[in-house]
Amino acid sequence: MVDGVAALARFVDRHPRLLVLTGAGCSTPSGIPDYRDADGSWKHRKPMSFAEFSGSPAARRRYWAGSLRGWPAVRDAGPNPAHRALTVLERQGRVVRVVTQNVDGLHQRAGSRRVIDLHGRLDVVECLSCGARLRREDVQALLCDWNPGFEGKGGARPDGDASVGTALDGFRVPDCPECGGVLKPAVVFFGEGVPRPRVDECMAGLCAADALLVVGSSLMVYSGYRFVLAARERGTPVAVVNLGRTRADAQLTLKVAADCARVLPALVA
Ligand SMILES: [Zn+2]
């Protein structure tokens, strides 16, 4: 790991303005589980798609029942040394943007200010019809009131979903208080695109950066991988700190195969 830290330090010295892209591996040391194992394959069943969620009340009951149990683990998680090290890099003026695939808000809680939540935020709920936005905590309180006995942790996943049984016919899901529309966490579901203005903001960050630094992502999801492709097209160097294999391993300037919560603090120390 010492070699990896030294190589990364040289990379950061040579490229003083970084676009940082973070993935699930940046939040696993905070106790938020990863979707994928070291080979990039699914650890659990695939997350619910947008089509499934929006198309069926039964799917929404299943989602919210799991989410009711999974949310407290995300809400109660705190930033880890990787988040804090990125905050230090930002204060040193080395970070153009932190683009995160995580929906937990932990970069902001660690003190990072230049964050773009690529896949949205789990602490916000929005109405698919009128766009009203609600605090997740308020929706959680309703879910708990209406569905006593469903609380409790266990089986949490990064999207706040959790495994639940199938006896959900009586499970009650709140509708939008403004218009009665369908409520959905303000996160990008599988099968749903990242809003174009958000992608453009990230690309503008990449244009202003000397290099792309990927932290804790296998880059298996295209929404993150596209920044590696864009960097390559521009001739922008790419470094990755990730424990496992990534989709971009053949295209990297530098790969540090280690835990980002150990490497990044050593880098800024
Ligand atoms: Zn509404």
Side-chain angles (χ1 to χ4, degrees):
M1 194 191 88
V2 177
D3 290 349
V5 173
L8 188 62
R10 283 194 298 277
F11 182 88
V12 170
D13 271 345
R14 243 179 280 137
H15 309 101
R17 292 181 58 75
L18 301 170
L19 183 85
V20 180
L21 173 67
T22 71
C26 192
S27 285
T28 42
S30 292
I32 295 175
D34 191 353
Y35 278 116
R36 294 168 190 275
D37 61 22
D39 292 324
S41 4
W42 295 108
K43 276 181 185 168
H44 311 274
R45 67 182 165 77
K46 208 175 167 184
M48 188 175 291
S49 71
F50 179 71
E52 205 182 346
F53 181 89
S54 59
S56 144
R60 289 196 289 278
R61 280 198 296 275
R62 203 165 72 241
Y63 178 89
W64 282 111
S67 182
L68 185 158
R69 287 181 180 163
W71 164 245
V74 177
R75 178 195 61 203
D76 299 340
N80 67 63
H83 295 111
R84 286 191 284 273
L86 288 173
T87 305
V88 172
L89 275 183
E90 182 180 305
R91 290 193 182 132
Q92 293 172 345
R94 295 171 178 274
V95 174
V96 178
R97 287 290 201 178
V98 177
V99 176
T100 185
Q101 299 174 289
N102 301 332
V103 294
D104 49 41
L106 289 178
H107 286 299
Q108 289 90 337
R109 282 182 43 206
S112 287
R113 294 170 160 230
R114 309 175 73 91
V115 183
I116 300 174
D117 296 299
L118 189 63
H119 293 163
R121 286 284 289 263
L122 206 54
D123 55 1
V124 178
V125 173
E126 61 193 7
C127 171
L128 290 180
S129 302
C130 76
R133 287 166 74 83
L134 289 82
R135 290 174 61 241
R136 172 57 207 255
E137 267 310 275
D138 296 338
V139 174
Q140 182 78 3
L142 264 183
L143 284 167
C144 291
D145 274 0
W146 290 0
N147 304 286
F150 269 90
E151 290 121 291
K153 297 185 185 181
R157 302 212 323 235
D159 56 0
D161 196 356
S163 322
V164 286
T166 45
L168 294 174
D169 288 346
F171 191 85
R172 286 181 67 199
V173 174
D175 297 323
C176 173
E178 306 290 330
C179 77
V182 170
L183 292 178
K184 171 182 160 292
V187 299
V188 175
F189 274 41
F190 279 74
E192 199 180 9
V194 176
R196 191 69 229 179
R198 205 181 290 166
V199 176
D200 290 346
E201 204 185 350
C202 299
M203 288 299 179
L206 184 63
C207 290
D210 307 314
L212 172 62
L213 172 63
V214 180
V215 176
S217 175
S218 60
L219 297 166
M220 292 299 166
V221 180
Y222 175 75
S223 66
Y225 181 62
R226 76 171 118 206
F227 298 110
V228 174
L229 295 179
R232 296 266 303 166
E233 206 166 287
R234 298 178 52 81
T236 303
V238 181
V240 170
V241 181
N242 191 60
L243 261 177
R245 197 167 69 83
T246 83
R247 188 177 178 178
D249 278 356
Q251 308 164 49
L252 303 176
T253 311
L254 173 67
K255 167 83 183 277
V256 181
D259 181 356
C260 57
R262 296 180 62 201
V263 170
L264 294 182
L267 173 72
V268 300

